[in-house]
Amino acid sequence: MTPPLPSVLITRRMPSTSLTELRKVCLVDLHPGTDDLPPDVFRARLAGKQGLICMFNDRVDSAAIDAGDALRVIATVAVGFDNIDIEAAKSRGIVVTNTPDILTGATAEFTWALILSVTRRISEADRAVRSGSWSGWTFDFMCGRELRGKQLGIIGAGRIGRAVAAVAPAFGMHAVFAARSGEGIEGNVLSLDELLLTSDVVSLHVPLTSNTRHLINRRTLVRMKRSACLINTSRGPVIDEAALAWALEERLIAGAGLDVYEDEPRVHPTLLTREEVCLTPHIGSATRETRTEMATLAVRNVIEVLGGRPPVTPIC
Ligand code: DGY
């Protein structure tokens, strides 16, 4: 008798091409929507599953991991894994994987899109044209700030932070880092305070951990230059949004470009009203190419582990 195929829960719609290989070797329980599975439904559907493919916004806490009584692998289709209780998974011997590297380029590109949008007021200018408030060319209308000769302060020297820094010379910018020891960056490393005091653009590229939650807060915001802008394509809770709203209202910084929020999809109401803020809906890695590669890699990880082989990109 051939053994039954392992079964895998997928929490949201994924590109169908990425599932072809998985369907050959597993039974797939796919939630076809884009909405969250309610926690009780999530736990019930995890029971008896050997594999879980989830997204960054699925909360895979210890209760979910306990409910997954047969789980052998959790594959998140994301680089960040702050939504997964890694210790609980480890203690059960469950392999956890993510999708690093392949989204570096798309996220770095998008970070630059936000930097340019804020400094050259692109989303604000677009709103002006659409609303009819543009009454014709004038010499000083919508003047922004130039990047040439300015300092880009990158907080977090992982793959994405470094990829963002690599583009800086093309804009005539000088990149500096504030990084944890061991991130292997040489030269151009400042303390967080020095970076905030001297940078014209501050861009966040740290994972969300207990050390980075509210790293940007009232204390750190007052250190920034009044002419500086803050960019976040990492995780929303790295910024205390209420503190940022306050800093913008007090004009302590000049603007912000945010792709991620503390309580997505909710955005602090003050941020919604500020013209100097560009807001995007967590789309840093959202290119067709990258999202397809992320899904394919997550599937590959599940196939490898359930086939008794090492995963391609393990977290633990
Ligand atoms: C990630 O990969 O962590 C992104 O936030 C979701 O694509």
Side-chain angles (χ1 to χ4, degrees):
M1 254 210 356
T2 45
L5 292 178
S7 44
V8 175
L9 173 64
I10 305 180
T11 58
R12 280 155 220 266
R13 193 165 73 201
M14 300 227 296
S16 55
T17 49
S18 65
L19 300 181
T20 311
E21 291 305 308
L22 190 67
R23 291 190 194 280
K24 289 181 188 161
V25 291
C26 295
L27 301 172
V28 173
D29 174 10
L30 171 71
H31 171 52
T34 52
D35 52 322
D36 294 351
L37 283 174
D40 54 331
V41 175
F42 181 40
R43 288 196 293 269
R45 281 172 76 164
L46 265 178
K49 300 286 178 353
Q50 282 79 19
L52 167 65
I53 297 181
C54 61
M55 312 287 152
F56 83 93
N57 46 355
D58 294 311
R59 203 167 134 72
V60 189
D61 55 12
S62 59
I65 289 172
D66 285 346
D69 50 355
L71 270 181
R72 290 166 55 198
V73 57
I74 299 171
T76 183
V77 193
V79 65
F81 49 86
D82 47 277
N83 57 317
I84 302 173
D85 187 334
I86 298 292
E87 289 312 311
K90 259 193 201 162
S91 70
R92 285 262 320 275
I94 299 168
V95 174
V96 184
T97 67
N98 65 343
T99 60
D101 290 334
I102 48 188
L103 47 69
T104 298
T107 310
E109 261 181 20
F110 193 78
T111 302
W112 278 100
L114 281 182
I115 293 172
L116 290 162
S117 181
V118 175
T119 55
R120 297 304 304 272
R121 306 174 66 178
I122 292 172
S123 53
E124 190 184 348
D126 178 87
R127 284 191 295 273
V129 174
R130 286 173 197 271
S131 68
S133 67
W134 179 45
S135 53
W137 190 90
T138 52
F139 191 72
D140 54 359
F141 184 57
M142 286 273 166
C143 283
R145 288 171 201 272
E146 207 151 308
L147 295 178
R148 191 161 34 108
K150 303 280 173 56
Q151 179 171 299
L152 169 63
I154 296 193
I155 303 181
R159 297 180 191 85
I160 298 172
R162 289 174 198 229
V164 172
V167 178
F171 286 105
M173 290 190 89
H174 163 67
V176 297
F177 289 93
R180 288 166 296 171
S181 59
E183 283 192 296
I185 279 283
E186 278 165 25
N188 299 345
V189 179
L190 304 181
S191 69
L192 177 62
D193 275 359
E194 281 169 335
L195 179 142
L196 294 169
L197 284 165
T198 56
S199 296
D200 302 288
V201 176
V202 173
S203 192
L204 303 173
H205 300 285
V206 287
L208 176 63
T209 65
S210 52
N211 292 328
T212 61
R213 184 175 296 274
H214 286 191
L215 181 73
I216 301 299
N217 52 40
R218 280 191 178 224
R219 188 195 70 80
T220 44
L221 283 161
V222 295
R223 295 217 171 359
M224 287 178 65
K225 291 184 178 183
R226 281 184 183 263
S227 56
C229 66
L230 177 67
I231 307 294
N232 191 10
T233 55
S234 63
R235 282 290 182 265
V238 173
I239 297 179
D240 174 347
E241 259 174 34
L244 175 60
W246 163 80
L248 289 161
E249 282 186 317
E250 297 295 318
R251 301 205 174 276
L252 300 179
I253 66 170
L258 307 173
D259 186 46
V260 288
Y261 306 91
E262 273 201 85
D263 183 22
E264 294 177 12
R266 209 189 66 86
V267 178
H268 191 288
T270 301
L271 299 178
L272 294 170
T273 67
R274 304 295 309 181
E275 285 292 355
E276 73 276 41
V277 178
C278 175
L279 304 167
T280 54
H282 202 144
I283 52 172
S285 66
T287 64
R288 287 181 202 285
E289 298 89 335
T290 291
R291 286 286 161 87
T292 303
E293 279 186 58
M294 289 165 74
T296 305
L297 177 56
V299 164
R300 185 84 254 145
N301 278 321
V302 169
I303 293 174
E304 294 306 306
V305 175
L306 296 184
R309 296 174 296 275
V312 188
T313 47
I315 299 164
C316 74

